[in-house]
Amino acid sequence: MPNAIVVHGLTKRYDTLAAVDGIDFTVPEGKVFAFLGPNGAGKTTTVEILEGLRNRTTGDVTVLGFDPWTDGMPLHKVIGVIPQDFRFFEKITPKEAVEYYATLFDVKVDPMRLLERVALADKAHAHFDTLSGGQKQKLGLALALVSSPKICFLDEPTTGLDPQARRGIWDVIRDLRREGRTVFLTTHYLEEAELLADQVAIIHKGKIIAEGTPAEIIRDHGRPERLVVEGPPSLGEFLKKRLDRPVTVEDGHITIQMRDKSDALTVLRAIEESGIPWKGFATVSDTLEDVFVGMVGRMDDGIMRSEAAP
Amino acid sequence: MNAKRVGADFLVFARGYVRNPVGLFFSLIFPIILIGLFGLIFSVTGATATTVYTENLDHHSAASVAFLSALNQTGAVKIVVVTPVTNEPFNTWLGDQSYTVGLIIPAGFQSSFTNHTPVNVTIYTDPGDAQSGGTLLGAVNGVASEFNLKSAGGTPIIGATDVLLGSQVYKYIDFLVPGLIGFSILTSPMFAMVEISSTYRKDHLFRQLSLTPLTKGEWLLAKILWYVVLTFISAAIMITVGIVAFGAHVGFTAGIVPFLILGPFFFVSLGMLAGSVSKTPESAAVLGNIITFPMMFLSGTFFPVSGFPTGLQQVAHVLPLYYVIDGMNQVMLFHNTSRALFDAGIVGVGGAIIFIAAIVAFKWRDE
Ligand SMILES: Nc1ncnc2c1ncn2[C@@H]1O[C@H](COP(=O)(O)OP(=O)(O)O)[C@@H](O)[C@H]1O
Ligand SMILES: [Mg+2]
């Protein structure tokens, strides 16, 4: 599959700060690519370089075969962009805004159908300055879609939205993927990346620290699967001696790190051998969040697990 | 340049403008306030005729009426004939009414005139209002000598021929109308564009537009078109108020159209240029004021430049607004087409340079 975006050795400096510090990645056509990172990681800087809105310090960037900085005009006809914190003319209505964009791009669109698609038809005639944050973001989405772009760039499209509005945006992203468009999504919500993305890159302080499908990232960077048993500390001591595997004991929970899935049988047999009474057991594996927290630590304003998880 | 895109952007901008009631009210009411205020202030101190309350005791004889109408024709005095006062002396009555000048045509004025016997008209003056008194005395003496000469069958030896400059005598309001049209051609685009250049930057609207096929030139042209429309509206308002309320001798001549287009073209571009070369909204506002304020007063907005001291006149000649206002004066008052064309040429060429500079200076996107 051809690549929609190819980035090699990209850096961006603001004075002495390396906001983006030598990153490489590729985004295959037709996939949803999530750029995951805490605030200030360099997500917006990267996405705006890809959109041709900012120049890079060094590196090679190709988007649909164009250099975004020098080929802005042709590039902008084939990409759709929703900036972080989308704002527009205060007194324009969503319907007028779509008509405006349709004329600028010289395309025919049915404004009401497009607004229905992003669930904004009921606000088609409201002035922009009366829309809620989520409704504004939906208009941004609608405008990005006017030109039927091959790639959609969405910079934190759901940040600050309520769970329902967030799900609405997720639905549109899934539709885009179904239609075969490439989606480049930045987010600091883990489950957003986990739910929507085919590929995830975790960026931290301008560097990509993990990349792949969510499963690959967990496999490569997460801890191995663990088996957890409820039992007295004596059972823990027994297992530590009996098994050649890391064992931790905490609050009546004994956690045994396994070598692989079939290892569970060996571990269970050892527990039985001990003759010490035990209760329920479970196997535990890392989530993307565990991986992230393990790699960079939880930050005050960092990666969040929102309450919106379905 | 794509006309459809310019049109679409014009429509969006115009709607935004019209939907902001405060802004719209201000831009329509402001021209009326301006011309009303300045028209009132300056027409009061203008050369108005002195009103003279007059008793005609000669029973409106032909000679007395001719004498009074000759006085009126001097333009210096305005004769108001009152019914003769019977219950008190005329001078007491004048004092009661707080009138400072008065005139009595005696009975028998006409018969004395035809019989060549001397007759005196009585002039009442108040030392407290020497100016009105002097005006009346001068007018009466002038008219009286003419009547004396006529009655003696003589011909005046020394006369004066009025040579008017242009087609008529200009009043202050005649200069004020084009001056204030120029004032709004300067101020409303300048202030608006300086403001727009900083708010659009703050709200990332330029960045948003850079993601569409709209070009900077098309965007700026749409703003110019809107301010041309606003200028036509406010010029029409000011001309109407000038004519109706103050009797200005200006008309809706097609000749001002180039100035109503080139003026906004120049100043929308200049406002955008000033906003774009400034790093912060504050410095943009300061630069905008530095450009606007001297031009506002020295370009012939409130007073004709021809009345300035020579040094200030030279300053005026480097200000672009001077050529806009001078051009409008040429077409509205002096009917001097070649001078107007010259003025339009300067504004047009200057505007084109500033327009291009503004497009180069203002950035759609950050580095
Ligand atoms: N225009 C700029 N000038 C200077 N520093 C900037 C600029 N834009 C971003 N930065 C800095 O670069 C870093 C990355 O910012 P950004 O790309 O916006 O992060 P994110 O979108 O992941 O929150 C931050 O430390 C931010 O302060
Ligand atoms: Mg960001």
Side-chain angles (χ1 to χ4, degrees):
Chain A
M1 188 173 295
N3 285 318
I5 302 172
V6 179
V7 172
H8 187 69
L10 175 64
T11 62
K12 173 69 179 181
R13 300 192 157 275
Y14 299 113
D15 293 329
T16 55
L17 173 79
V20 174
D21 198 3
I23 60 173
D24 304 271
F25 61 88
T26 54
V27 179
E29 264 179 27
K31 299 286 183 197
V32 176
F33 184 92
F35 216 45
L36 175 65
N39 283 341
K43 302 185 296 296
T44 297
T45 302
T46 305
V47 77
E48 289 196 356
I49 288 169
L50 298 180
E51 294 160 355
L53 292 175
R54 283 191 214 190
N55 202 357
R56 54 193 184 262
T57 309
T58 61
D60 297 320
V61 177
T62 314
V63 178
L64 295 174
F66 296 112
D67 178 323
W69 185 250
T70 53
D71 302 334
M73 268 296 189
L75 178 68
H76 292 152
K77 295 204 169 101
V78 289
I79 66 170
V81 170
I82 308 167
Q84 182 170 7
D85 193 11
F86 168 76
R87 258 167 298 181
F88 212 55
F89 304 109
E90 284 181 2
K91 295 294 175 195
I92 201 169
T93 69
K95 181 163 178 282
E96 291 163 357
V98 171
E99 287 163 347
Y100 175 50
Y101 262 50
T103 312
L104 295 185
F105 280 99
D106 198 18
V107 291
K108 283 229 178 327
V109 291
D110 179 344
M112 290 312 291
R113 272 190 56 188
L114 184 54
L115 292 174
E116 267 157 31
R117 193 172 158 189
V118 298
L120 194 61
D122 55 327
K123 289 286 178 183
H125 302 289
H127 289 174
F128 183 75
D129 58 0
T130 66
L131 299 180
S132 73
Q135 290 162 344
K136 286 179 179 165
Q137 211 61 27
K138 285 175 179 174
L139 177 61
L141 199 53
L143 294 184
L145 299 180
V146 164
S147 60
S148 290
K150 292 206 178 88
I151 307 183
C152 292
F153 291 94
L154 297 90
D155 193 3
E156 300 198 22
T158 64
T159 298
L161 301 192
D162 61 68
Q164 201 194 336
R166 179 171 303 154
R167 281 202 197 92
I169 304 255
W170 288 348
D171 287 342
V172 178
I173 294 174
R174 291 194 183 101
D175 285 347
L176 294 175
R177 185 179 185 281
R178 212 167 296 135
E179 292 165 8
R181 301 182 212 278
T182 309
V183 176
F184 188 100
L185 168 77
T186 81
T187 182
H188 64 204
Y189 294 115
L190 279 148
E191 89 274 27
E192 195 159 284
E194 233 165 352
L195 272 171
L196 299 173
D198 300 301
Q199 296 270 332
V200 177
I202 298 178
I203 181 168
H204 181 55
K205 293 185 177 160
K207 289 196 161 75
I208 290 180
I209 55 173
E211 199 190 350
T213 64
E216 282 167 354
I217 291 180
I218 293 164
R219 187 196 65 207
D220 295 350
H221 301 276
R223 290 162 295 171
E225 264 187 301
R226 278 102 52 207
L227 194 134
V228 182
V229 195
E230 276 180 61
S234 56
L235 178 60
E237 292 309 312
F238 175 84
L239 291 174
K240 271 185 197 167
K241 281 183 204 126
R242 180 73 177 70
L243 295 168
D244 183 21
R245 293 164 182 76
V247 175
T248 55
V249 181
E250 204 185 316
D251 285 346
H253 286 90
I254 300 147
T255 305
I256 307 105
Q257 198 162 312
M258 300 188 293
R259 290 192 177 134
D260 53 53
K261 281 229 189 273
S262 62
D263 218 17
L265 228 50
T266 320
V267 174
L268 279 174
R269 210 172 288 134
I271 293 171
E272 269 301 300
E273 275 172 28
S274 73
I276 301 168
W278 57 278
K279 274 189 270 174
F281 75 94
T283 59
V284 178
S285 52
D286 272 355
T287 61
L288 207 47
E289 182 181 26
D290 298 323
V291 173
F292 188 86
V293 171
M295 291 177 90
V296 304
R298 182 184 286 273
M299 270 142 258
D300 290 343
D301 55 353
I303 294 267
M304 283 188 254
R305 176 166 288 279
S306 74
E307 313 74 60
Chain B
M1 283 290 167
N2 175 305
K4 268 163 78 182
R5 292 198 292 260
V6 175
D9 190 62
F10 172 85
L11 190 63
V12 165
F13 189 70
R15 276 184 183 142
Y17 201 98
V18 172
R19 284 174 190 170
N20 180 349
V22 179
L24 186 67
F25 176 79
F26 195 64
S27 50
L28 292 183
I29 288 300
F30 194 58
I32 300 180
I33 294 177
L34 261 186
I35 193 130
L37 202 64
F38 281 94
L40 277 179
I41 293 172
F42 291 103
S43 61
V44 168
T45 60
T48 44
T50 304
T51 304
V52 178
Y53 292 88
T54 306
E55 278 187 352
N56 189 344
L57 303 180
D58 200 37
H59 308 290
H60 303 285
S61 60
S64 66
V65 170
F67 188 81
L68 292 179
S69 91
L71 277 174
N72 265 334
Q73 272 162 24
T74 62
V77 294
K78 182 162 171 270
I79 300 296
V80 176
V81 178
V82 296
T83 359
V85 185
T86 48
N87 57 345
E88 56 181 338
F90 188 52
N91 55 347
T92 316
W93 179 85
L94 285 171
D96 291 347
Q97 312 287 326
S98 309
Y99 297 143
T100 54
V101 287
L103 177 68
I104 292 183
I105 307 288
F109 181 81
Q110 172 151 306
S111 58
S112 300
F113 184 68
T114 39
N115 299 330
H116 305 288
T117 49
V119 63
N120 273 336
V121 299
T122 316
I123 291 171
Y124 295 86
T125 61
D126 181 342
D129 185 5
Q131 200 191 344
S132 299
T135 306
L136 177 59
L137 198 61
V140 169
N141 278 333
V143 171
S145 340
E146 216 173 291
F147 271 66
N148 291 340
L149 203 63
K150 234 186 245 167
S151 122
T155 344
I157 307 298
I158 301 177
T161 313
D162 255 357
V163 180
L164 299 181
L165 301 171
S167 58
Q168 55 199 332
V169 198
Y170 301 112
K171 293 189 297 180
Y172 174 69
I173 187 76
D174 302 336
F175 292 98
L176 194 60
V177 171
L180 292 184
I181 293 174
F183 178 88
S184 60
I185 286 177
L186 165 74
T187 51
S188 64
M190 277 296 285
F191 291 136
M193 295 314 289
V194 166
E195 155 88 14
I196 283 174
S197 67
S198 30
T199 54
Y200 274 41
R201 233 185 305 177
K202 178 171 74 49
D203 290 346
H204 302 302
L205 289 172
F206 287 138
R207 189 184 69 181
Q208 187 66 32
L209 293 176
S210 81
L211 295 165
T212 73
L214 187 71
T215 65
K216 292 191 282 183
E218 289 163 355
W219 178 86
L220 191 55
L221 193 60
K223 308 295 109 55
I224 291 168
L225 287 181
W226 173 249
Y227 278 96
V228 168
V229 169
L230 270 190
T231 301
F232 271 95
I233 295 172
S234 68
I237 292 174
M238 288 196 268
I239 293 174
T240 308
V241 174
I243 293 172
V244 173
F246 302 105
H249 298 114
V250 291
F252 290 91
T253 63
I256 64 168
V257 167
F259 297 96
L260 301 185
I261 294 171
L262 294 174
F265 171 61
F266 191 105
F267 291 109
V268 168
S269 306
L270 186 61
M272 196 57 208
L273 180 61
S276 305
V277 298
S278 311
K279 289 256 183 302
T280 65
E282 293 75 22
S283 60
V286 169
L287 181 61
N289 288 344
I290 289 177
I291 296 171
T292 311
F293 278 99
M295 215 172 338
M296 208 153 95
F297 295 108
L298 298 180
S299 304
T301 41
F302 302 117
F303 303 100
V305 170
S306 55
F308 287 2
T310 347
L312 275 188
Q313 285 198 27
Q314 273 157 6
V315 173
H317 288 182
V318 301
L319 303 174
L321 184 61
Y322 165 78
Y323 295 94
V324 175
I325 293 175
D326 185 64
M328 287 192 291
N329 277 323
Q330 298 305 332
V331 292
M332 291 171 94
L333 303 179
F334 306 128
H335 309 290
N336 183 342
T337 312
S338 58
R339 172 89 174 263
L341 279 175
F342 169 77
D343 289 331
I346 291 204
V347 181
V349 171
I353 294 169
I354 301 288
F355 178 82
I356 291 167
I359 290 176
V360 172
F362 98 80
K363 297 268 175 280
W364 271 147
R365 50 187 193 182
D366 318 320
E367 281 302 303

